[in-house]
Amino acid sequence: MKEKEVINILLIGTDASSKDPTRADVTEKGNTDVMMLVSINPTKQTIKLVSFMRDSYTYMDQFDRYAKLNAACANGGPGYLVEIIENDYKIKIDGYVMVDFDSFVKVIDVLGGVRVDVPQYVADYLYDYSKKRAFPSGNGILLNGEQALRFSRVRYSDKDGDISRVARQRQVINSLISRCKGATLSEINAVSDVILANVRTNISRKAILSYAAKAVTDGWANFTITEITMPTADTRKPYSSRATAWIWVIDYPLAAQQLQLELYGKTNIKLEENRKSALTVMYGR
């Protein structure tokens, strides 16, 4: 599904880094710790931040096998990750922007850091024992690039693991959007030049500058922001085995219908009342 007024951009964060020679090729080798759709609807003045769970089990046709969603980029590149998400959720994605560990840190530092809420238990988990350095905690804490990276990556501090982690990642993006409030077009363009030097994207410079102009004139930073995790709680179930490790089994048709409704207010997916789904087969529901 695609609507002319809706702009869908996939933000991709990989675990590649020049500090790790085995994962230094940022274009292909990284697994994706962050897969977040930013869906902008200037007509309705809304922004939807949609986090896709890294452990979502999905079919990868290029390799004729099932795997976790976060392996798609490492195996087929960012364009293939976009293709997988489009096929699973039946939405059109207009482009992607990808960062690795190193470029994420640079971008956050260039933007002057991010302000987020850091619970004490998360700060305790992120304590740096090697340097005997505490991680800052509290509401509206300003984090630099390195701190924001650690904050965005940690998931074992919470019992629900990746669910809380993707919520923290959305905090970071929310903070970046807030920092754009009141910015002029020249300021946005200046920042865009630095960001573009540190990311990989299939969006043309002309399109990015057009988005920047619209963001300023239409006040995108003031749009209502809604946060979504996909698949939703009622379309996913956990499963673990020696063959698959820990994964989410997903009712993709229902999840896709839900996401279409969230982004477009309508759906082209019709579900039979007594249909069988992956959850029905695996769990009898």
Side-chain angles (χ1 to χ4, degrees), residues 193-247:
D193 287 338
V194 179
I195 292 176
L196 285 172
N198 289 285
V199 302
R200 184 183 179 197
T201 180
N202 65 344
I203 308 171
S204 69
R205 179 179 176 80
K206 180 180 179 180
I208 290 173
L209 293 177
S210 175
Y211 289 150
K214 291 178 181 178
V216 172
T217 58
D218 295 347
W220 288 7
N222 296 309
F223 285 3
T224 300
I225 298 176
T226 303
E227 299 185 16
I228 306 162
T229 299
M230 294 303 297
T232 56
D234 61 333
T235 60
R236 68 177 188 247
K237 283 283 188 179
Y239 178 78
S240 180
S241 73
R242 183 174 296 180
T244 65
W246 199 99
I247 61 170

Side-chain angles (χ1 to χ4, degrees), residues 19-66:
K19 297 175 184 178
D20 182 353
T22 66
R23 309 186 71 80
D25 182 358
V26 301
T27 62
E28 305 296 343
K29 287 188 177 179
N31 290 322
T32 46
D33 281 352
V34 180
M35 295 167 286
M36 187 189 306
L37 187 75
V38 180
S39 183
I40 306 159
N41 189 326
T43 302
K44 295 183 178 179
Q45 298 189 349
T46 61
I47 295 176
K48 305 289 179 74
L49 301 181
V50 185
S51 297
F52 296 101
M53 306 292 281
R54 66 191 295 277
D55 295 315
S56 301
Y57 209 48
T58 186
Y59 180 67
M60 299 191 182
D61 58 346
Q62 280 192 18
F63 314 102
D64 192 25
R65 66 182 176 90
Y66 285 85

Side-chain angles (χ1 to χ4, degrees), residues 116-120 122-124 126 133-138 141-144 147 150-151:
V116 296
D117 296 337
V118 184
Q120 186 60 54
V122 173
D124 291 342
L126 291 172
R133 185 169 58 194
F135 197 88
S137 64
I141 298 297
L142 181 65
L143 302 183
N144 62 28
Q147 292 169 328
R150 295 180 64 200
F151 178 79

Side-chain angles (χ1 to χ4, degrees), residues 69-254:
L69 182 61
N70 76 325
C73 187
N75 286 284
Y80 187 54
L81 172 60
V82 168
E83 181 183 323
I84 291 291
I85 293 175
E86 286 182 329
N87 288 341
D88 285 344
Y89 290 96
K90 310 307 178 190
I91 59 171
K92 180 63 178 175
I93 296 175
D94 299 295
Y96 66 80
V97 178
M98 184 169 73
V99 296
D100 65 347
F101 285 174
D102 304 331
S103 54
F104 177 86
V105 170
K106 290 178 183 177
V107 168
I108 295 299
D109 284 338
V110 163
L111 295 173
V114 291
R115 289 197 177 275
V116 296
D117 296 337
V118 184
Q120 186 60 54
Y121 75 91
V122 173
D124 291 342
Y125 190 89
L126 291 172
Y127 183 88
D128 189 341
Y129 288 94
S130 63
K131 298 180 181 179
K132 296 183 179 179
R133 185 169 58 194
F135 197 88
S137 64
N139 295 328
I141 298 297
L142 181 65
L143 302 183
N144 62 28
E146 288 284 356
Q147 292 169 328
L149 177 63
R150 295 180 64 200
F151 178 79
S152 299
R153 292 198 68 213
V154 63
R155 60 180 172 137
Y156 295 117
S157 59
D158 301 86
K159 291 182 179 179
D160 60 5
D162 203 39
I163 296 173
S164 287
R165 176 165 73 164
V166 296
R168 282 190 285 273
Q169 293 167 355
R170 291 193 298 268
Q171 263 203 77
V172 171
I173 300 302
N174 259 306
S175 177
L176 294 179
I177 293 172
S178 294
R179 292 185 75 85
C180 293
K181 291 181 179 179
T184 65
L185 181 57
S186 60
E187 290 171 335
I188 294 292
N189 285 341
V191 170
S192 298
D193 287 338
V194 179
I195 292 176
L196 285 172
N198 289 285
V199 302
R200 184 183 179 197
T201 180
N202 65 344
I203 308 171
S204 69
R205 179 179 176 80
K206 180 180 179 180
I208 290 173
L209 293 177
S210 175
Y211 289 150
K214 291 178 181 178
V216 172
T217 58
D218 295 347
W220 288 7
N222 296 309
F223 285 3
T224 300
I225 298 176
T226 303
E227 299 185 16
I228 306 162
T229 299
M230 294 303 297
T232 56
D234 61 333
T235 60
R236 68 177 188 247
K237 283 283 188 179
Y239 178 78
S240 180
S241 73
R242 183 174 296 180
T244 65
W246 199 99
I247 61 170
W248 289 114
V249 176
I250 301 165
D251 180 350
Y252 277 110
L254 179 56

